[in-house]
Amino acid sequence: MKKMKFFQYNYILILILIFLFSLESCKSPTAPNNKNLTLTISDVSCTEAWITLSSNNVPLPANILIKKNGNEFLNINLVNKDTALYDSTLLPNQTYSYQAVYNNGFNLGMSEVVSAKTMDTTSNNYSWQLYTLGNELGASSTLYDVAIINDTSIWAVGEINIQDSIGMFNAVHWDGKNWNLQRIEYYTVCGQTNRTQYPARSILAYNENEIWIAVYGDQIAEIENGIQTKTMCVPWSFVINKIWGMNTNEFYLVGNSGNIIHYQTGNWQKIESGTTQDLYDIYSNDGQTIYASGGNFQNYSGILLRGNNNGFQILEEGENIGDPNLLFDPYFDGIAKTVWSSNTGSLYFGGNELYIYKNGTISEDKTLAG
């Protein structure tokens, strides 16, 4: 009888252990840790995406697999907590999913899936009109800069020559129906009263009542309601290539030999640029971080600067290639004649080629080589 009870007790104990073991074996595997890795879409264009990969409590260096639409896209060796990723293989108006996966040999860690929708292209259904300023019988004419205030007020500046006209025109205004030639006068020599129509190089239009036009030299004229009201000489003599500003009280000038000048409410300030190369453009989308670009036509190298009122530093400098036939090789080369930044942090610059600077990385966007 005692043996029977002992047997029953052991049998019951075995059943309990089997039951507990079965419960344990039916549990789901440990859920992947979605907090160790994070993907964030920084910016998206028609064919590109910028992604930030962040890690938390991940032993570095670590091998990270980036999946796009469930398939392997990148296999990277992560050495910093945060790193920037760039995808230039996308199509317009499409949605793509990304996920980061990390395997430390014991358990699987992965990020949440993030989606990026590329921008759609325009229809390209444009209607073009060609306007010719100047005439073939006169000297050659060139326009250097344009400012669009609205659809009934557009200004362009440069050098416009008309046969038999006394003196050239250096500006033209669109009133919604016609282009009207204008003459902006500058001092023949700063400090004297004589005036001359020099070629105009750049224009800055805040509104119809506040327009600044810089000469291809060291002077600036103010236009109010189509009438020239003021002419100012820059305290430092150099060739102005671009005038830019964000409000009616101040503007910046860039020009040859690395000159950067800041004007604010009657006060002039020369800013250290860190270069002696010629500068052709300046821009900022927030007024805090300012970019300037330029280069050297003797060796065809480009330069990109970043700074503020306290000074500028070289952000990128191109190769000293010395041969215009090599302009389209796959590196930062050629003169950076223009620069523009978006409110999402993308910086576009170039001349012979167009580049994008994003998250510390430069990528070639478009070449004019054909």
Side-chain angles (χ1 to χ4, degrees):
M1 188 70 179
K2 291 182 178 180
K3 290 183 179 180
M4 180 64 69
K5 289 182 178 180
F6 177 76
F7 176 78
Q8 290 176 343
Y9 293 150
N10 282 286
Y11 180 74
I12 295 172
L13 179 60
I14 291 172
L15 290 176
I16 293 173
L17 290 174
I18 292 174
F19 177 73
L20 292 175
F21 178 78
S22 66
L23 287 178
E24 186 67 25
S25 64
C26 290
K27 287 184 177 180
S28 300
T30 302
N33 190 338
N34 293 329
K35 296 181 179 180
N36 287 345
L37 296 172
T38 303
L39 287 178
T40 306
I41 305 297
S42 302
D43 197 9
V44 180
S45 70
C46 292
T47 58
E48 301 158 305
W50 290 265
I51 309 164
T52 301
L53 170 62
S54 301
S55 62
N56 183 35
N57 296 324
V58 173
L60 300 177
N63 183 259
I64 305 296
L65 175 65
I66 306 298
K67 292 185 176 182
K68 181 171 71 174
N69 292 345
N71 300 315
E72 180 176 345
F73 170 61
L74 290 175
N75 200 320
I76 65 174
N77 185 34
L78 187 65
V79 295
N80 297 313
K81 183 178 179 181
D82 299 312
T83 189
L85 308 176
Y86 173 62
D87 186 359
S88 62
T89 64
L90 310 181
L91 297 174
N93 196 28
Q94 300 291 322
T95 299
Y96 296 87
S97 64
Y98 296 91
Q99 187 176 38
V101 179
Y102 162 65
N103 189 349
N104 63 5
F106 298 98
N107 65 336
L108 184 68
M110 62 182 65
S111 71
E112 299 284 353
V113 177
V114 296
S115 296
K117 182 176 175 58
T118 55
M119 301 170 62
D120 196 5
T121 57
T122 63
S123 65
N124 296 319
N125 185 23
Y126 298 115
S127 176
W128 297 94
Q129 288 181 282
L130 178 63
Y131 297 94
T132 301
L133 304 175
N135 54 45
E136 296 180 357
L137 298 178
S140 62
S141 300
T142 304
L143 295 177
Y144 294 105
D145 201 6
V146 63
I148 302 175
I149 300 174
N150 52 52
D151 58 355
T152 60
S153 183
I154 302 173
W155 285 81
V157 297
E159 180 179 1
I160 306 167
N161 292 283
I162 305 294
Q163 185 186 28
D164 298 330
S165 175
I166 301 176
M168 70 171 184
F169 298 90
N170 49 15
V172 59
H173 178 246
W174 172 258
D175 61 9
K177 296 181 179 180
N178 301 296
W179 289 100
N180 302 299
L181 296 173
Q182 306 278 336
R183 285 191 174 100
I184 310 300
E185 294 187 337
Y186 298 92
Y187 296 116
T188 305
V189 177
C190 282
Q192 299 181 2
T193 58
N194 295 335
R195 291 178 174 268
T196 305
Q197 296 97 31
Y198 290 121
R201 189 70 171 187
S202 181
I203 181 170
L204 172 64
Y206 296 110
N207 51 60
E208 195 66 55
N209 301 322
E210 191 87 19
I211 298 172
W212 297 92
I213 299 178
V215 71
Y216 189 54
D218 55 2
Q219 299 181 52
I220 304 165
E222 183 178 12
I223 312 298
E224 298 181 10
N225 291 319
I227 300 174
Q228 182 175 353
T229 58
K230 185 187 300 183
T231 304
M232 296 190 298
C233 291
V234 181
W236 300 272
S237 181
F238 68 98
V239 174
I240 299 172
N241 289 321
K242 185 66 176 180
I243 178 172
W244 170 86
M246 293 190 70
N247 62 70
T248 57
N249 296 319
E250 65 174 328
F251 54 75
Y252 292 82
L253 305 171
V254 296
N256 289 356
S257 303
N259 279 288
I260 301 179
I261 306 297
H262 177 226
Y263 172 85
Q264 186 172 26
T265 320
N267 297 315
W268 297 91
Q269 174 193 4
K270 189 171 185 179
I271 303 176
E272 178 59 43
S273 68
T275 183
T276 58
Q277 295 195 48
D278 296 340
L279 300 176
Y280 294 100
D281 201 7
I282 182 169
Y283 187 80
S284 173
N285 69 306
D286 59 9
Q288 303 300 315
T289 302
I290 305 172
Y291 298 94
S293 66
N296 188 327
F297 275 103
Q298 293 182 348
N299 56 33
Y300 299 97
S301 64
I303 193 167
L304 179 65
L305 308 179
R306 179 172 60 191
N308 51 39
N309 291 345
N310 296 321
F312 282 72
Q313 293 181 336
I314 297 176
L315 185 61
E316 292 290 338
E317 191 166 12
E319 300 283 345
N320 186 345
I321 58 178
D323 185 350
N325 296 319
L326 302 178
L327 281 177
F328 305 110
D329 280 1
Y331 49 72
F332 175 25
D333 50 30
I335 311 301
K337 294 294 291 289
T338 186
V339 62
W340 180 83
S341 60
S342 70
N343 56 11
T344 58
S346 297
L347 178 66
Y348 296 82
F349 65 98
N352 301 293
E353 301 181 40
L354 178 62
Y355 296 89
I356 300 177
Y357 185 93
K358 181 78 173 180
N359 295 330
T361 301
I362 285 182
S363 60
E364 182 182 8
D365 184 65
K366 181 69 69 174
T367 175
L368 301 184

